[in-house]
Amino acid sequence: MSGLELNEVFVGRPSVLGTKRDVPVYSAISKSRVEAPFLELGEINLTGDDQADRTVHGGVDKAVYVYPAAHYAAWSEQGFETVAGDFGENLSVGGADEFEVRIGDVWSWGEALVQVSQPRTPCFKLAMKTGRKDVIPAMIDSGRSGWYLRVLRTGQVPTSGRMTLEERDPANPTIAEVYVASFTNVARLDEERGVAYWALLDRVLATPALSRQYRDGLESAKRRKEERNAG
């Protein structure tokens, strides 16, 4: 794998997605396809894109959300009627998926350089957007999460063509491995698999490019385990 094919690019501003306990829920998960051949990529957003709540969405480590186009057919086979853009993705791509892309991968995209920082963890806004509460466990179970990029170098980027892999550490975990470390029910593992799980978690946590927010959650899980063992 040396490149990602850009199929479509999407941006969107926050709007009312629905209501929760009679309170309006704002989100930028509903995005529109970019028709222009180029747009600007800044440190935290593409031009025309934004987030409603940067405490949980967006920011430096989640500036661009990438989703493999091959997943749309799999969702349809499960009874979810989805098309490109329905998951709030900025980039719909071909050429790689969560089993191939690694944390820390650096890609050139036009004038910009971007780096893979973490998988996507689905929240209730995805359920509101799709009208299906079961989309959250379905994404977790399938691992069809997509991934986020941080921006190492800003610049003008094309909305079609290819992104080129510039740097990779083959020791870094894949997006799929990070998802396993995040969502495995450790209590159900036998001793051998438990040992393998904690080794994987240590490997994930040892990856410098993993986002701080994602790292915090995994470190909390590890601390709880160590506290139980000490008790």
Side-chain angles (χ1 to χ4, degrees):
M1 179 189 63
S2 59
L4 289 173
E5 188 70 30
L6 283 168
N7 292 341
E8 295 175 277
V9 177
F10 301 89
V11 298
R13 302 285 191 183
S15 60
V16 177
L17 181 62
T19 59
K20 188 175 183 180
R21 299 186 182 91
D22 297 323
V23 177
V25 174
Y26 287 85
S27 175
I29 194 172
S30 297
K31 300 184 185 296
S32 300
R33 187 177 186 274
V34 176
E35 301 296 340
F38 296 92
L39 74 167
E40 291 294 322
L41 176 62
E43 291 183 357
I44 59 173
N45 271 320
L46 289 160
T47 298
D49 201 48
D50 205 350
Q51 293 79 37
D53 182 2
R54 287 190 187 157
T55 63
V56 290
H57 299 288
V60 172
D61 286 332
K62 294 188 285 185
V64 179
Y65 177 41
V66 184
Y67 204 73
H71 291 341
Y72 304 128
W75 283 109
S76 294
E77 289 172 5
Q78 282 189 269
F80 294 87
E81 295 303 320
T82 60
V83 295
D86 279 354
F87 293 94
E89 62 268 41
N90 296 114
L91 309 183
S92 172
V93 301
D97 63 16
E98 293 82 358
F99 289 91
E100 299 165 281
V101 171
R102 295 180 182 274
I103 299 295
D105 282 357
V106 175
W107 301 82
S108 60
W109 178 19
E111 297 175 348
L113 273 182
V114 292
Q115 183 181 48
V116 178
S117 59
Q118 68 166 77
R120 187 246 188 96
T121 299
C123 74
F124 76 96
K125 291 181 179 180
L126 178 60
M128 292 183 72
K129 173 69 167 57
T130 59
R132 296 277 299 269
K133 291 182 179 180
D134 56 340
V135 72
I136 295 175
M139 178 174 281
I140 292 171
D141 291 345
S142 68
R144 297 192 294 265
S145 65
W147 56 89
Y148 285 101
L149 305 174
R150 62 170 61 91
V151 180
L152 302 181
R153 184 176 70 213
T154 62
Q156 189 177 74
V157 295
T159 58
S160 62
R162 292 181 68 80
M163 300 171 69
T164 302
L165 181 63
E166 300 290 347
E167 183 181 322
R168 161 172 289 172
D169 184 342
N172 285 354
T174 64
I175 293 296
E177 287 175 316
V178 177
Y179 233 50
V180 169
S182 301
F183 293 108
T184 294
N185 187 338
V186 184
R188 295 185 177 181
L189 299 179
D190 59 28
E191 183 176 355
E192 182 179 353
R193 292 184 179 182
V195 169
Y197 168 80
W198 293 111
L200 172 61
L201 180 60
D202 285 341
R203 180 168 154 247
V204 170
L205 289 174
T207 307
L210 184 67
S211 71
R212 181 74 257 176
Q213 186 182 57
Y214 216 89
R215 182 186 303 278
D216 286 346
L218 293 175
E219 286 178 342
S220 294
K222 184 177 180 180
R223 280 196 301 271
R224 290 194 296 270
K225 182 251 189 182
E226 291 170 343
E227 288 167 0
R228 287 194 300 270
N229 288 348

